[in-house]
Amino acid sequence: MCLNTNDIAPNPSHFEDSEETATPAHRDIAWNDYKDLIKGMRFFDPHIHMVSRTTDDYQAMHQAGIVALIEPAFWVGQPRTGLSSFKDYYSSLVGWERFRSSQFGIKHYCTMGLNSREANNEPLAEQVMEILPLYIYKEGVVGVGEIGFDDQTPAEEKYYRLQLELAKKAKLPVQIHTPHRDKKKGTERSMAIALEHGIDPSWVIVDHNNEETVKSVLDKGFWAAFTIYPFTKMGNERMVKVVEQYGPERIMVNSAADWGISDPLAIPKTAALMKMRGISDETIRLVTYQNAIDAFGKSGQIDVTDFESGYAIDHTEKFHGNSILRGGQQPVPAKDSLVIN
């Protein structure tokens, strides 16, 4: 596994080319040599974009102990050109992707929102805001997100504020995406606006934190989420140091794995690294499982009995007549075989 160094320089966006071209030094610690450290642990990934991931990822996540996840609505890598694209995407988050996850033994939740990048297309954003209420009340929607700032434009602020009001009305937690550029300013601005709208900080998860933002987020009473994302956000060695310094209260870890070079096993790997560094099992449990449940559980949509003792898999189930076992496939193919039947 390639790990970042302890460099705490500001992180560039993983959406954009960066002027910072220095190649980080890294070293290899084999995941397979240490994954037994977390054997028997359960994990909850509160931010991962499974629509961009493969069936291999689902299988690996299940085997590593991930029992539940939250998939925030996000920017899919290129601008959407019409309202129908948003409708189909939102429908997939509460439909097909939820079914697909269930077929690999992982409980799937989601948050709904208009992402900050596409908030800048105001004619389309207006239309999206009209349909969002049709989705945020659906079963399994545990928050409004991920919303907030990217380039910190007036349009982004306009739709961030409107969605905060939507969350208040629906009595749902808010999942804030903090900007990759000028992160400290954007994080402070995001929190100030949420408070201005009268939202209780304990209902707000501020995401993509780093060492520069965490103290202020915790001091103001918000949840502080950290994304372990290779080279562009946090490395998990840095995450260990954050937990050593601040403890587990209101801190949670996620992968935000998406269509970029990212790692859906970021949470189990971080848990193993914490274990190696002597962090207690209870602290690891809080930052990789329980805190996410407590924060998003305010939605009233999370029942831990659905996944705490294992999530039943029924491969005879279908979604609108469709199965993941296309043409009678085996649930788990023989990955070590040269011959693919």
Side-chain angles (χ1 to χ4, degrees):
M1 177 176 64
C2 295
L3 298 173
N4 282 355
T5 66
N6 293 329
D7 178 16
I8 59 172
N11 294 310
S13 168
H14 74 290
F15 295 144
E16 301 283 3
D17 292 336
S18 170
E19 294 179 357
E20 296 180 26
T21 55
T23 301
H26 53 277
R27 59 185 179 277
D28 292 326
I29 302 175
W31 161 236
N32 283 336
D33 292 345
Y34 293 93
K35 61 185 179 183
D36 282 350
L37 289 174
I38 56 166
K39 193 172 183 179
M41 288 186 176
R42 288 188 298 266
F43 304 108
F44 190 121
D45 192 339
H47 188 147
I48 185 167
H49 302 287
M50 294 310 299
V51 69
S52 303
R53 308 303 303 193
T54 67
T55 53
D56 282 359
D57 292 332
Y58 268 125
Q59 289 174 339
M61 291 164 64
H62 179 64
Q63 289 167 3
I66 295 175
V67 296
L69 61 85
I70 296 172
E71 180 160 6
F74 85 139
W75 183 58
V76 294
Q78 67 179 42
R80 279 166 278 217
T81 57
L83 186 62
S84 294
S85 299
F86 277 94
K87 287 181 178 177
D88 291 341
Y89 174 62
Y90 293 151
S91 295
S92 74
L93 294 183
V94 295
W96 171 249
E97 201 56 50
R98 182 166 300 164
F99 170 75
R100 201 165 75 103
S101 184
S102 74
Q103 295 299 288
F104 294 95
I106 299 175
K107 180 69 177 179
H108 181 288
Y109 303 96
C110 67
T111 58
M112 287 287 178
L114 171 64
N115 68 86
S116 51
R117 280 184 82 97
E118 290 176 300
N120 290 297
N121 180 348
E122 290 198 65
L124 183 54
E126 287 295 324
Q127 297 176 59
V128 172
M129 289 304 301
E130 290 184 12
I131 66 167
L132 268 179
L134 301 177
Y135 293 94
I136 64 171
Y137 294 101
K138 289 189 179 295
E139 181 183 352
V141 177
V142 297
V144 173
E146 52 181 312
I147 63 173
F149 289 108
D150 185 44
D151 284 331
Q152 304 188 50
T153 66
E156 290 171 15
E157 179 171 334
K158 172 184 175 182
Y159 293 103
Y160 173 50
R161 288 181 181 275
L162 288 173
Q163 291 183 93
L164 290 176
E165 289 299 315
L166 197 60
K168 279 173 62 179
K169 185 177 180 181
K171 295 182 172 57
L172 285 173
V174 177
Q175 187 176 33
I176 291 178
H177 165 91
T178 55
H180 303 277
R181 296 170 294 277
D182 207 355
K183 178 176 284 291
K184 187 174 183 179
K185 176 185 172 185
T187 302
E188 293 296 329
R189 188 176 172 191
S190 300
M191 293 190 293
I193 292 173
L195 294 172
E196 185 183 321
H197 280 257
I199 296 182
D200 184 333
S202 70
W203 283 68
V204 181
I205 299 90
V206 180
D207 212 341
H208 312 318
N209 277 279
N210 61 23
E211 295 88 343
E212 191 179 32
T213 61
V214 56
K215 185 177 186 307
S216 180
V217 171
L218 293 175
D219 285 349
K220 289 179 171 64
F222 293 86
W223 294 89
F226 290 82
T227 297
I228 309 303
Y229 199 105
F231 307 121
T232 65
K233 294 189 176 73
M234 288 284 289
N236 58 1
E237 289 189 302
R238 289 167 54 194
M239 188 67 234
V240 170
K241 292 183 179 298
V242 167
V243 171
E244 287 174 339
Q245 181 174 353
Y246 292 96
E249 187 178 358
R250 283 183 286 114
I251 284 178
M252 67 184 78
V253 182
N254 64 58
S255 70
D258 57 11
W259 37 259
I261 300 171
S262 45
D263 193 338
L265 300 185
I267 294 180
K269 288 178 178 178
T270 301
L273 196 59
M274 288 181 181
K275 186 86 174 178
M276 288 172 61
R277 302 289 164 81
I279 293 177
S280 73
D281 285 4
E282 177 59 10
T283 291
I284 296 172
R285 188 185 75 84
L286 289 171
V287 301
T288 62
Y289 181 76
Q290 190 62 49
N291 287 349
I293 294 171
D294 291 345
F296 289 97
K298 292 175 181 292
S299 64
Q301 292 282 333
I302 297 178
D303 181 352
V304 295
T305 62
D306 285 341
F307 52 80
E308 208 158 46
S309 300
Y311 190 64
I313 303 174
D314 182 358
H315 284 126
T316 66
E317 287 187 351
K318 293 185 177 181
F319 180 81
H320 288 194
N322 192 18
S323 165
I324 65 162
L325 304 179
R326 305 177 73 177
Q329 289 175 313
Q330 294 297 311
V332 181
K335 293 288 179 57
D336 295 332
S337 174
L338 174 67
V339 178
I340 302 172
N341 294 311

PDB file of all heavy atoms in Angstrom, residues 16-41:
ATOM      1  N   GLU A  16      -9.318  18.885 -10.010  1.00  0.00           N
ATOM      2  CA  GLU A  16      -8.615  19.799 -10.894  1.00  0.00           C
ATOM      3  C   GLU A  16      -7.139  19.472 -10.950  1.00  0.00           C
ATOM      4  O   GLU A  16      -6.576  18.896 -10.048  1.00  0.00           O
ATOM      5  CB  GLU A  16      -8.757  21.241 -10.354  1.00  0.00           C
ATOM      6  CG  GLU A  16     -10.190  21.709 -10.243  1.00  0.00           C
ATOM      7  CD  GLU A  16     -10.777  22.084 -11.590  1.00  0.00           C
ATOM      8  OE1 GLU A  16     -10.070  21.913 -12.603  1.00  0.00           O
ATOM      9  OE2 GLU A  16     -11.924  22.546 -11.630  1.00  0.00           O
ATOM     10  N   ASP A  17      -6.514  19.908 -12.046  1.00  0.00           N
ATOM     11  CA  ASP A  17      -5.061  19.858 -12.096  1.00  0.00           C
ATOM     12  C   ASP A  17      -4.525  20.782 -11.014  1.00  0.00           C
ATOM     13  O   ASP A  17      -5.093  21.823 -10.723  1.00  0.00           O
ATOM     14  CB  ASP A  17      -4.564  20.332 -13.452  1.00  0.00           C
ATOM     15  CG  ASP A  17      -4.937  19.350 -14.546  1.00  0.00           C
ATOM     16  OD1 ASP A  17      -5.138  18.171 -14.221  1.00  0.00           O
ATOM     17  OD2 ASP A  17      -5.038  19.786 -15.701  1.00  0.00           O
ATOM     18  N   SER A  18      -3.421  20.427 -10.435  1.00  0.00           N
ATOM     19  CA  SER A  18      -2.872  21.228  -9.363  1.00  0.00           C
ATOM     20  C   SER A  18      -1.550  21.821  -9.784  1.00  0.00           C
ATOM     21  O   SER A  18      -0.801  21.251 -10.565  1.00  0.00           O
ATOM     22  CB  SER A  18      -2.666  20.360  -8.120  1.00  0.00           C
ATOM     23  OG  SER A  18      -1.938  21.066  -7.157  1.00  0.00           O
ATOM     24  N   GLU A  19      -1.282  23.020  -9.247  1.00  0.00           N
ATOM     25  CA  GLU A  19       0.016  23.618  -9.495  1.00  0.00           C
ATOM     26  C   GLU A  19       1.085  22.932  -8.669  1.00  0.00           C
ATOM     27  O   GLU A  19       2.266  23.066  -8.918  1.00  0.00           O
ATOM     28  CB  GLU A  19      -0.038  25.106  -9.172  1.00  0.00           C
ATOM     29  CG  GLU A  19      -0.967  25.884 -10.133  1.00  0.00           C
ATOM     30  CD  GLU A  19      -1.029  27.346  -9.772  1.00  0.00           C
ATOM     31  OE1 GLU A  19      -0.402  27.730  -8.760  1.00  0.00           O
ATOM     32  OE2 GLU A  19      -1.691  28.099 -10.499  1.00  0.00           O
ATOM     33  N   GLU A  20       0.647  22.191  -7.628  1.00  0.00           N
ATOM     34  CA  GLU A  20       1.606  21.501  -6.785  1.00  0.00           C
ATOM     35  C   GLU A  20       1.944  20.179  -7.441  1.00  0.00           C
ATOM     36  O   GLU A  20       1.164  19.246  -7.450  1.00  0.00           O
ATOM     37  CB  GLU A  20       1.007  21.266  -5.404  1.00  0.00           C
ATOM     38  CG  GLU A  20       0.731  22.572  -4.680  1.00  0.00           C
ATOM     39  CD  GLU A  20       0.140  22.312  -3.310  1.00  0.00           C
ATOM     40  OE1 GLU A  20       0.398  21.235  -2.757  1.00  0.00           O
ATOM     41  OE2 GLU A  20      -0.561  23.193  -2.812  1.00  0.00           O
ATOM     42  N   THR A  21       3.131  20.108  -8.021  1.00  0.00           N
ATOM     43  CA  THR A  21       3.469  18.929  -8.800  1.00  0.00           C
ATOM     44  C   THR A  21       4.469  18.032  -8.094  1.00  0.00           C
ATOM     45  O   THR A  21       4.888  17.036  -8.642  1.00  0.00           O
ATOM     46  CB  THR A  21       4.050  19.348 -10.157  1.00  0.00           C
ATOM     47  OG1 THR A  21       5.161  20.217  -9.925  1.00  0.00           O
ATOM     48  CG2 THR A  21       2.998  20.074 -10.985  1.00  0.00           C
ATOM     49  N   ALA A  22       4.844  18.392  -6.884  1.00  0.00           N
ATOM     50  CA  ALA A  22       5.823  17.576  -6.172  1.00  0.00           C
ATOM     51  C   ALA A  22       5.264  16.188  -5.934  1.00  0.00           C
ATOM     52  O   ALA A  22       4.115  16.019  -5.530  1.00  0.00           O
ATOM     53  CB  ALA A  22       6.170  18.230  -4.846  1.00  0.00           C
ATOM     54  N   THR A  23       6.055  15.188  -6.235  1.00  0.00           N
ATOM     55  CA  THR A  23       5.625  13.819  -6.027  1.00  0.00           C
ATOM     56  C   THR A  23       5.898  13.411  -4.584  1.00  0.00           C
ATOM     57  O   THR A  23       7.031  13.487  -4.123  1.00  0.00           O
ATOM     58  CB  THR A  23       6.385  12.874  -6.963  1.00  0.00           C
ATOM     59  OG1 THR A  23       6.135  13.281  -8.307  1.00  0.00           O
ATOM     60  CG2 THR A  23       5.938  11.434  -6.767  1.00  0.00           C
ATOM     61  N   PRO A  24       4.843  13.018  -3.839  1.00  0.00           N
ATOM     62  CA  PRO A  24       5.070  12.683  -2.439  1.00  0.00           C
ATOM     63  C   PRO A  24       5.904  11.420  -2.290  1.00  0.00           C
ATOM     64  O   PRO A  24       5.746  10.461  -3.044  1.00  0.00           O
ATOM     65  CB  PRO A  24       3.652  12.473  -1.896  1.00  0.00           C
ATOM     66  CG  PRO A  24       2.832  12.097  -3.091  1.00  0.00           C
ATOM     67  CD  PRO A  24       3.442  12.814  -4.243  1.00  0.00           C
ATOM     68  N   ALA A  25       6.808  11.448  -1.334  1.00  0.00           N
ATOM     69  CA  ALA A  25       7.536  10.233  -1.020  1.00  0.00           C
ATOM     70  C   ALA A  25       6.589   9.278  -0.320  1.00  0.00           C
ATOM     71  O   ALA A  25       5.696   9.694   0.390  1.00  0.00           O
ATOM     72  CB  ALA A  25       8.706  10.565  -0.102  1.00  0.00           C
ATOM     73  N   HIS A  26       6.714   8.002  -0.542  1.00  0.00           N
ATOM     74  CA  HIS A  26       5.859   7.053   0.147  1.00  0.00           C
ATOM     75  C   HIS A  26       6.596   5.742   0.291  1.00  0.00           C
ATOM     76  O   HIS A  26       7.589   5.482  -0.363  1.00  0.00           O
ATOM     77  CB  HIS A  26       4.529   6.889  -0.584  1.00  0.00           C
ATOM     78  CG  HIS A  26       4.667   6.558  -2.038  1.00  0.00           C
ATOM     79  ND1 HIS A  26       4.875   7.528  -2.980  1.00  0.00           N
ATOM     80  CD2 HIS A  26       4.637   5.386  -2.688  1.00  0.00           C
ATOM     81  CE1 HIS A  26       4.946   6.950  -4.169  1.00  0.00           C
ATOM     82  NE2 HIS A  26       4.820   5.671  -4.016  1.00  0.00           N
ATOM     83  N   ARG A  27       6.058   4.907   1.161  1.00  0.00           N
ATOM     84  CA  ARG A  27       6.701   3.631   1.403  1.00  0.00           C
ATOM     85  C   ARG A  27       5.631   2.558   1.419  1.00  0.00           C
ATOM     86  O   ARG A  27       4.453   2.845   1.560  1.00  0.00           O
ATOM     87  CB  ARG A  27       7.455   3.670   2.728  1.00  0.00           C
ATOM     88  CG  ARG A  27       6.577   3.979   3.937  1.00  0.00           C
ATOM     89  CD  ARG A  27       7.445   4.122   5.169  1.00  0.00           C
ATOM     90  NE  ARG A  27       6.665   4.431   6.352  1.00  0.00           N
ATOM     91  CZ  ARG A  27       6.268   5.653   6.692  1.00  0.00           C
ATOM     92  NH1 ARG A  27       6.547   6.677   5.895  1.00  0.00           N
ATOM     93  NH2 ARG A  27       5.578   5.863   7.783  1.00  0.00           N
ATOM     94  N   ASP A  28       6.054   1.337   1.271  1.00  0.00           N
ATOM     95  CA  ASP A  28       5.112   0.236   1.168  1.00  0.00           C
ATOM     96  C   ASP A  28       5.005  -0.531   2.478  1.00  0.00           C
ATOM     97  O   ASP A  28       6.005  -0.941   3.064  1.00  0.00           O
ATOM     98  CB  ASP A  28       5.559  -0.717   0.066  1.00  0.00           C
ATOM     99  CG  ASP A  28       5.440  -0.066  -1.300  1.00  0.00           C
ATOM    100  OD1 ASP A  28       4.504   0.738  -1.486  1.00  0.00           O
ATOM    101  OD2 ASP A  28       6.273  -0.375  -2.163  1.00  0.00           O
ATOM    102  N   ILE A  29       3.756  -0.664   2.920  1.00  0.00           N
ATOM    103  CA  ILE A  29       3.435  -1.569   4.024  1.00  0.00           C
ATOM    104  C   ILE A  29       2.329  -2.453   3.491  1.00  0.00           C
ATOM    105  O   ILE A  29       1.275  -1.956   3.104  1.00  0.00           O
ATOM    106  CB  ILE A  29       2.946  -0.804   5.275  1.00  0.00           C
ATOM    107  CG1 ILE A  29       4.001   0.197   5.750  1.00  0.00           C
ATOM    108  CG2 ILE A  29       2.600  -1.779   6.401  1.00  0.00           C
ATOM    109  CD1 ILE A  29       3.539   1.076   6.903  1.00  0.00           C
ATOM    110  N   ALA A  30       2.533  -3.745   3.420  1.00  0.00           N
ATOM    111  CA  ALA A  30       1.584  -4.626   2.749  1.00  0.00           C
ATOM    112  C   ALA A  30       0.309  -4.792   3.566  1.00  0.00           C
ATOM    113  O   ALA A  30       0.357  -5.224   4.722  1.00  0.00           O
ATOM    114  CB  ALA A  30       2.238  -5.980   2.481  1.00  0.00           C
ATOM    115  N   TRP A  31      -0.816  -4.457   2.967  1.00  0.00           N
ATOM    116  CA  TRP A  31      -2.126  -4.595   3.604  1.00  0.00           C
ATOM    117  C   TRP A  31      -2.370  -6.035   4.029  1.00  0.00           C
ATOM    118  O   TRP A  31      -2.842  -6.300   5.136  1.00  0.00           O
ATOM    119  CB  TRP A  31      -3.184  -4.088   2.624  1.00  0.00           C
ATOM    120  CG  TRP A  31      -4.609  -4.492   2.833  1.00  0.00           C
ATOM    121  CD1 TRP A  31      -5.407  -5.128   1.937  1.00  0.00           C
ATOM    122  CD2 TRP A  31      -5.433  -4.255   3.991  1.00  0.00           C
ATOM    123  NE1 TRP A  31      -6.662  -5.298   2.455  1.00  0.00           N
ATOM    124  CE2 TRP A  31      -6.705  -4.776   3.719  1.00  0.00           C
ATOM    125  CE3 TRP A  31      -5.206  -3.666   5.236  1.00  0.00           C
ATOM    126  CZ2 TRP A  31      -7.745  -4.728   4.634  1.00  0.00           C
ATOM    127  CZ3 TRP A  31      -6.247  -3.615   6.153  1.00  0.00           C
ATOM    128  CH2 TRP A  31      -7.496  -4.138   5.848  1.00  0.00           C
ATOM    129  N   ASN A  32      -2.016  -6.981   3.171  1.00  0.00           N
ATOM    130  CA  ASN A  32      -2.271  -8.388   3.498  1.00  0.00           C
ATOM    131  C   ASN A  32      -1.530  -8.845   4.755  1.00  0.00           C
ATOM    132  O   ASN A  32      -1.948  -9.781   5.423  1.00  0.00           O
ATOM    133  CB  ASN A  32      -1.874  -9.289   2.320  1.00  0.00           C
ATOM    134  CG  ASN A  32      -2.906  -9.249   1.217  1.00  0.00           C
ATOM    135  OD1 ASN A  32      -4.081  -8.932   1.467  1.00  0.00           O
ATOM    136  ND2 ASN A  32      -2.480  -9.549  -0.001  1.00  0.00           N
ATOM    137  N   ASP A  33      -0.438  -8.153   5.072  1.00  0.00           N
ATOM    138  CA  ASP A  33       0.335  -8.547   6.258  1.00  0.00           C
ATOM    139  C   ASP A  33      -0.297  -8.060   7.560  1.00  0.00           C
ATOM    140  O   ASP A  33       0.088  -8.509   8.632  1.00  0.00           O
ATOM    141  CB  ASP A  33       1.765  -7.980   6.174  1.00  0.00           C
ATOM    142  CG  ASP A  33       2.579  -8.639   5.066  1.00  0.00           C
ATOM    143  OD1 ASP A  33       2.160  -9.697   4.573  1.00  0.00           O
ATOM    144  OD2 ASP A  33       3.606  -8.056   4.677  1.00  0.00           O
ATOM    145  N   TYR A  34      -1.231  -7.110   7.445  1.00  0.00           N
ATOM    146  CA  TYR A  34      -1.766  -6.488   8.664  1.00  0.00           C
ATOM    147  C   TYR A  34      -3.287  -6.543   8.794  1.00  0.00           C
ATOM    148  O   TYR A  34      -3.830  -6.124   9.809  1.00  0.00           O
ATOM    149  CB  TYR A  34      -1.297  -5.027   8.734  1.00  0.00           C
ATOM    150  CG  TYR A  34       0.192  -4.908   8.927  1.00  0.00           C
ATOM    151  CD1 TYR A  34       1.038  -4.787   7.838  1.00  0.00           C
ATOM    152  CD2 TYR A  34       0.759  -4.976  10.198  1.00  0.00           C
ATOM    153  CE1 TYR A  34       2.416  -4.726   7.996  1.00  0.00           C
ATOM    154  CE2 TYR A  34       2.134  -4.899  10.376  1.00  0.00           C
ATOM    155  CZ  TYR A  34       2.955  -4.769   9.273  1.00  0.00           C
ATOM    156  OH  TYR A  34       4.317  -4.702   9.450  1.00  0.00           O
ATOM    157  N   LYS A  35      -3.982  -7.070   7.784  1.00  0.00           N
ATOM    158  CA  LYS A  35      -5.444  -7.022   7.836  1.00  0.00           C
ATOM    159  C   LYS A  35      -6.036  -7.912   8.925  1.00  0.00           C
ATOM    160  O   LYS A  35      -7.168  -7.680   9.355  1.00  0.00           O
ATOM    161  CB  LYS A  35      -6.057  -7.336   6.474  1.00  0.00           C
ATOM    162  CG  LYS A  35      -5.752  -8.707   5.916  1.00  0.00           C
ATOM    163  CD  LYS A  35      -6.359  -8.785   4.496  1.00  0.00           C
ATOM    164  CE  LYS A  35      -6.077 -10.132   3.861  1.00  0.00           C
ATOM    165  NZ  LYS A  35      -6.608 -10.171   2.474  1.00  0.00           N
ATOM    166  N   ASP A  36      -5.260  -8.881   9.400  1.00  0.00           N
ATOM    167  CA  ASP A  36      -5.777  -9.697  10.506  1.00  0.00           C
ATOM    168  C   ASP A  36      -5.898  -8.899  11.798  1.00  0.00           C
ATOM    169  O   ASP A  36      -6.589  -9.323  12.728  1.00  0.00           O
ATOM    170  CB  ASP A  36      -4.875 -10.919  10.731  1.00  0.00           C
ATOM    171  CG  ASP A  36      -5.139 -12.013   9.706  1.00  0.00           C
ATOM    172  OD1 ASP A  36      -6.137 -11.890   8.961  1.00  0.00           O
ATOM    173  OD2 ASP A  36      -4.340 -12.963   9.647  1.00  0.00           O
ATOM    174  N   LEU A  37      -5.209  -7.748  11.879  1.00  0.00           N
ATOM    175  CA  LEU A  37      -5.311  -6.911  13.080  1.00  0.00           C
ATOM    176  C   LEU A  37      -6.735  -6.452  13.336  1.00  0.00           C
ATOM    177  O   LEU A  37      -7.106  -6.156  14.474  1.00  0.00           O
ATOM    178  CB  LEU A  37      -4.406  -5.673  12.933  1.00  0.00           C
ATOM    179  CG  LEU A  37      -2.903  -5.890  13.006  1.00  0.00           C
ATOM    180  CD1 LEU A  37      -2.179  -4.589  12.686  1.00  0.00           C
ATOM    181  CD2 LEU A  37      -2.496  -6.398  14.387  1.00  0.00           C
ATOM    182  N   ILE A  38      -7.523  -6.348  12.266  1.00  0.00           N
ATOM    183  CA  ILE A  38      -8.885  -5.823  12.418  1.00  0.00           C
ATOM    184  C   ILE A  38      -9.933  -6.914  12.223  1.00  0.00           C
ATOM    185  O   ILE A  38     -11.108  -6.620  12.041  1.00  0.00           O
ATOM    186  CB  ILE A  38      -9.141  -4.680  11.424  1.00  0.00           C
ATOM    187  CG1 ILE A  38      -8.879  -5.162   9.998  1.00  0.00           C
ATOM    188  CG2 ILE A  38      -8.292  -3.464  11.781  1.00  0.00           C
ATOM    189  CD1 ILE A  38      -9.416  -4.211   8.942  1.00  0.00           C
ATOM    190  N   LYS A  39      -9.497  -8.141  12.274  1.00  0.00           N
ATOM    191  CA  LYS A  39     -10.416  -9.265  12.076  1.00  0.00           C
ATOM    192  C   LYS A  39     -11.552  -9.188  13.094  1.00  0.00           C
ATOM    193  O   LYS A  39     -11.322  -9.018  14.290  1.00  0.00           O
ATOM    194  CB  LYS A  39      -9.667 -10.578  12.225  1.00  0.00           C
ATOM    195  CG  LYS A  39     -10.440 -11.788  11.726  1.00  0.00           C
ATOM    196  CD  LYS A  39      -9.554 -13.027  11.729  1.00  0.00           C
ATOM    197  CE  LYS A  39     -10.304 -14.220  11.161  1.00  0.00           C
ATOM    198  NZ  LYS A  39      -9.451 -15.431  11.144  1.00  0.00           N
ATOM    199  N   GLY A  40     -12.772  -9.280  12.616  1.00  0.00           N
ATOM    200  CA  GLY A  40     -13.942  -9.234  13.499  1.00  0.00           C
ATOM    201  C   GLY A  40     -14.505  -7.845  13.715  1.00  0.00           C
ATOM    202  O   GLY A  40     -15.589  -7.707  14.281  1.00  0.00           O
ATOM    203  N   MET A  41     -13.785  -6.802  13.287  1.00  0.00           N
ATOM    204  CA  MET A  41     -14.300  -5.437  13.448  1.00  0.00           C
ATOM    205  C   MET A  41     -15.333  -5.146  12.359  1.00  0.00           C
ATOM    206  O   MET A  41     -15.278  -5.674  11.255  1.00  0.00           O
ATOM    207  CB  MET A  41     -13.162  -4.416  13.334  1.00  0.00           C
ATOM    208  CG  MET A  41     -12.224  -4.402  14.526  1.00  0.00           C
ATOM    209  SD  MET A  41     -11.020  -3.037  14.352  1.00  0.00           S
ATOM    210  CE  MET A  41     -10.136  -3.178  15.908  1.00  0.00           C
TER     211      MET A  41
END
